[in-house]
């Protein structure tokens, strides 16, 4: 006999509250698709051989001389945000798209046009994926989802921030860093087309971060994605189209993860081994597929809620930053450090980070990328990229050796060490094995409580989820299944 909660959250008041809001993403997706479509005729008639910029009437003014956007270094020098965000075509990406190597950008990825070997890879995996039903919708509406909340059988982060999988063989999620007084610096949702001023700032500060790039953004803004690698940041994947992953079918989840990993490989030249679920929406089914594709799941411990800048007062986001900064000064992180959720989503989130950065540096002993905090000096499959370990980084070595970003123009297979069809086996191993900590949820809930203003709850993400569900139960929506 099992008691189950029927989660009856009103649509729009979704459980998960992280990353750019779904509404904002709907806009970003539509804008990207429309901009590309409008510029395509101008781009098609432009000469091949270099990144070309649409100059037709469809392209947003002002136009940018083609010569300024030919490679990573030249694109990095464009400083006018409007010019930075002007559509251009990068020949390697155009060639890959012409070969139908990728699904359409910003659509939920599937395998309908996948190469036979990719389909074979999925088929070899599918039978062993934990039998967990998809939950809710891709936009995060969990209305009517039946879930045994007391047992949290799927280790569903959205529900209670579970990060220790219940399916055997899966590694624990990375959500904190073991080094005391340390801010694990992560930036989600990039590459943003207008990030040059922000990336220049990071360079001036001699600061590296872990960047979670969206596959569709990587194809949309390939030279900006290359800049992240060239600047010495650690690159991880953030799915293909930024949907709530637990809502998707096995095939869609596989495709969302596979194609984001492949976009980074084909455009930057590195095979990433880490990813972060949009909105933190992950359960053991999703973790299993990610792990099988050689990617460790990374979430966070503290949340600035910077992505809510469009809907919350700026002062509220500032207060969230201030809270985490205060925790950096009052002993909260005396024995271990935090991973903080921040974004390069738009101008405002980047500006907030730049503004708070000096205070973060003053309050925390170390501000480091996640790989650095775990002494993971070779985060990619390719070994010609070596990052400093923790002691090197804090002593001032910010880069050890980094090959230049390199894009390919023809389909190259992504090396995924799946065992061929053997049921239940996970052969991909990743190198963050030492994270065995517990206790992040409380800290996350603590800091995020402040930003739940308007949600009318105390206690932050966890509290918001519980309150939403309790509210629903109060409204008579609870079902006890036996
Ligand atoms: C797969 O994705 C394409 C592109 O978004 C879409 O048109 C198609 O309907 C999808 N196929 C299935 C079976 O969902
Ligand atoms: C994958 O496996 C599930 C069962 O776990 C099944 O329902 C689904 O149809 C399979 N998908 C494909 C594309 O074969
Ligand atoms: C430290 O500051 C944080 C943020 O304001 C607060 O939640 C926490 O209770 C404080 N801890 C101590 C030990 O004072
Ligand atoms: C990048 O930032 C700009 C400026 O804030 C914003 O308008 C745009 O939607 C962002 N683009 C992406 C792809 O995130
Ligand atoms: C982004 O910020 C810059 C200043 O840093 C400003 O010049 C620009 O207009 C902003 N762009 C958008 C789209 O808000
Ligand atoms: C990283 O290396 C430092 C020594 O420089 C060590 O103290 C620390 O425990 C290591 N961290 C991990 C996660 O292995
Ligand atoms: C960090 O790198 C330095 C230089 O290569 C090395 O001497 C040290 O042992 C490394 N520390 C760890 C924990 O691996
Ligand atoms: C991290 O620190 C907290 C106290 O702030 C403690 O409860 C927890 O056990 C620590 N975790 C590890 C792995 O040291
Ligand atoms: Zn995100």
């Amino acid at each position: 006999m099992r008691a189950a909660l029927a989660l009856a959250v009103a649509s729009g008041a979704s459980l998960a509250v992280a990353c750019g809001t779904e509404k904002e993403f709907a806009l970003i997706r539509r804008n990207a698709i429309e901009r590309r479509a409008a510029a395509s005729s101008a781009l098609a008639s432009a000469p091949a051989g270099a990144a070309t910029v649409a100059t037709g009437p469809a392209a947003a003014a002002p136009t940018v001389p083609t010569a300024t956007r030919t490679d990573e270094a030249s694109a990095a020098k464009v400083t006018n945000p409007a010019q930075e965000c002007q559509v251009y075509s990068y020949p390697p990406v155009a060639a890959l798209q012409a070969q139908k190597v990728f699904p359409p950008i910003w659509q939920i990825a599937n395998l309908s046009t996948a190469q036979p070997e990719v389909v074979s890879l999925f088929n070899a995996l599918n039978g062993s994926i934990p039998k967990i039903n998809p939950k809710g919708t891709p936009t995060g509406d969990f209305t009517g989802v039946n879930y045994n909340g007391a047992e949290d059988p799927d280790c569903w982060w959205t529900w209670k921030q579970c990060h220790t999988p219940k399916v055997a063989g899966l590694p624990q999620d990375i959500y904190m860093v073991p080094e005391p007084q340390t801010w694990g610096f992560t930036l989600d949702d990039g590459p943003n087309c207008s990030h040059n001023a922000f990336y220049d700032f990071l360079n001036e500060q001699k600061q590296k971060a872990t960047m979670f790039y969206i596959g569709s953004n990587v194809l949309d803004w390939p030279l900006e994605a290359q800049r992240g690698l060239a600047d010495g940041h650690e690159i991880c994947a953030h799915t293909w189209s930024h949907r709530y992953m637990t809502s998707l079918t096995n095939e869609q989840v596989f495709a969302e993860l596979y194609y984001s990993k492949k976009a980074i490989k084909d455009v930057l030249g590195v095979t990433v081994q880490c990813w972060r679920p949009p909105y933190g929406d992950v359960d053991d089914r999703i973790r299993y597929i990610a792990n099988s594709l050689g990617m460790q799941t990374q979430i966070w411990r503290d949340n600035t809620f910077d992505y809510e800048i469009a809907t919350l007062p700026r002062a509220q986001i500032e207060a969230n930053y201030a809270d985490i900064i205060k925790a950096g000064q009052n002993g909260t992180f005396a024995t271990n450090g935090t991973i903080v959720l921040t974004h390069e989503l738009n101008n405002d989130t980047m500006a907030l980070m730049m503004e708070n950065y000096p205070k973060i540096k003053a309050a925390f002993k170390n501000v480091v990328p996640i790989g650095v905090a775990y002494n993971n000096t070779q985060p990619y499959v390719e070994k010609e990229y070596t990052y400093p370990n923790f002691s090197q980084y804090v002593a001032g070595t910010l880069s050890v050796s980094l090959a230049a970003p390199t894009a390919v123009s023809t389909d190259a297979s992504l090396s995924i060490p799946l065992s061929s069809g053997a049921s239940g086996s996970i052969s991909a191993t990743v190198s963050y094995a030492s994270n065995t900590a517990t206790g992040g949820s409380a800290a996350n809930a603590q800091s995020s409580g402040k930003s739940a203003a308007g949600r009318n709850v105390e206690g932050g993400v966890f509290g918001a989820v519980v309150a939403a569900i309790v509210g629903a139960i109060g409204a008579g929506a609870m079902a006890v299944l036996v």
Side-chain angles (χ1 to χ4, degrees):
M1 187 158 112
R2 290 182 3 149
L5 292 180
L7 312 191
V9 181
S11 59
S14 58
L15 294 182
V17 281
C19 296
T21 60
E22 173 52 33
K23 199 174 154 207
E24 179 155 8
F25 265 99
L27 190 66
I28 287 173
R29 288 183 202 115
R30 206 186 64 219
N31 284 347
I33 291 165
E34 285 177 359
R35 242 186 359 235
R36 284 277 149 194
S40 65
S41 58
L43 292 168
S45 59
T52 52
V53 173
T55 54
T63 55
V64 181
T66 303
T68 64
R69 308 289 284 278
T70 55
D71 58 13
E72 181 277 316
S74 56
K77 293 194 180 84
V78 182
T79 51
N80 176 327
Q83 290 188 354
E84 287 178 73
C85 290
Q86 190 165 12
V87 172
Y88 62 87
S89 173
Y90 181 53
V93 167
L96 292 169
Q97 286 176 320
Q99 294 161 61
K100 297 215 179 303
V101 168
F102 291 100
I105 62 170
W106 293 115
Q107 311 286 337
I108 297 173
N110 62 40
L111 300 179
S112 65
T113 57
Q115 266 59 7
E117 65 271 21
V118 182
V119 176
S120 302
L121 192 64
F122 171 71
N123 288 337
L125 183 67
N126 194 34
S128 70
I129 295 171
K131 304 286 184 281
I132 292 173
N133 288 332
K135 302 173 175 73
T137 71
T139 55
D141 181 354
F142 294 105
T143 304
V145 169
N146 282 316
Y147 191 62
N148 182 342
E151 284 176 24
D152 193 10
D154 307 341
C155 186
W156 185 23
W157 193 90
T158 303
W159 168 245
K160 276 193 191 174
Q161 302 186 316
C162 173
H163 43 60
T164 304
K166 297 192 171 160
V167 166
L170 290 177
Q172 190 178 34
D173 297 346
I174 301 282
Y175 68 93
M176 53 79 80
V177 296
E179 297 292 343
Q181 292 304 127
T182 300
W183 176 294
F185 188 18
T186 65
L187 290 164
D188 289 17
D189 297 349
N192 182 282
C193 45
S194 66
H195 71 191
N196 279 341
F198 182 48
Y199 279 30
D200 288 346
F201 172 86
L202 295 176
N203 281 345
E204 283 155 21
Q205 302 298 321
K206 302 197 182 347
Q207 180 64 55
K208 311 297 181 194
T210 299
M211 308 280 189
F212 293 90
Y213 280 170
I214 300 169
S216 292
N217 267 344
V218 170
L219 291 203
D220 215 5
W221 305 108
L223 299 175
E224 288 69 23
Q226 289 184 351
R227 179 169 184 187
L229 182 70
D231 280 6
H233 300 298
E234 179 187 27
I235 310 297
C236 299
H238 196 44
T239 76
W240 178 253
S241 71
H242 205 277
R243 266 37 187 226
Y244 282 76
M245 294 295 275
T246 67
S247 74
L248 305 180
T249 64
N250 287 353
E251 178 188 327
Q252 290 169 329
V253 171
F254 177 95
E256 283 277 327
L257 291 167
Y258 180 87
Y259 285 114
S260 58
K261 183 165 173 149
K262 184 166 170 57
I264 295 169
K265 170 62 177 166
D266 286 358
V267 174
L268 276 62
V270 295
T271 307
V272 300
Q273 303 185 91
C274 42
W275 82 291
R276 176 173 279 170
Y279 316 101
D281 188 43
V282 67
D283 65 14
D284 282 350
R285 180 174 66 102
I286 314 302
R287 289 186 182 93
Y288 185 94
I289 299 170
N291 189 65
S292 300
L293 288 171
M295 291 191 284
Q296 165 104 46
T297 301
Q298 296 195 7
I299 45 179
W300 57 87
R301 175 166 166 165
D302 288 284
N303 187 349
T304 61
F305 286 82
D306 60 345
Y307 54 88
E308 295 212 26
I309 185 70
T311 48
L312 286 178
R314 191 184 183 91
Q316 185 62 67
I317 316 292
E318 298 285 12
N320 296 338
Y321 263 101
D323 235 25
I324 305 169
I325 288 165
K326 185 172 162 211
Q329 291 162 321
N330 73 5
T332 299
F333 301 116
T335 55
N336 52 58
T338 180
I339 293 175
V340 185
L341 182 67
T342 55
H343 293 78
E344 69 167 280
L345 179 64
N346 57 43
N347 251 14
D348 290 324
T349 61
M350 292 187 276
L352 277 159
M353 173 49 77
M354 290 192 274
E355 180 198 317
N356 281 283
Y357 182 79
K359 294 176 231 168
I360 295 167
K361 285 289 283 182
F364 286 79
K365 195 167 168 220
N366 316 294
V367 182
V368 302
I370 308 309
V372 165
Y374 282 87
N375 298 321
N376 183 17
T377 56
Q378 294 191 315
Y380 313 123
V381 169
E382 295 75 14
K383 296 304 171 208
E384 56 275 51
Y385 300 82
T386 301
Y387 288 70
N389 63 28
F390 182 78
S391 67
Q392 288 173 301
Y393 188 94
V394 299
T397 301
L398 305 180
S399 271
V400 175
S401 67
L402 294 173
T406 37
V408 295
S409 297
T410 53
D411 191 18
S413 67
L414 191 56
S415 157
I416 304 283
L418 265 194
S419 55
S420 54
S423 162
S425 71
I426 303 168
S427 67
T429 50
V430 287
S431 44
Y432 287 101
S434 59
N435 176 32
T436 54
T438 55
S441 304
N444 193 10
Q446 153 212 326
S447 76
S448 54
K450 294 282 177 152
S451 76
R455 287 207 178 83
N456 195 27
V457 289
E458 258 180 355
V461 178
F462 183 14
V465 170
V466 172
I469 290 160
V470 168
I473 292 165
M478 182 179 171
V480 177
L481 307 181
V482 290

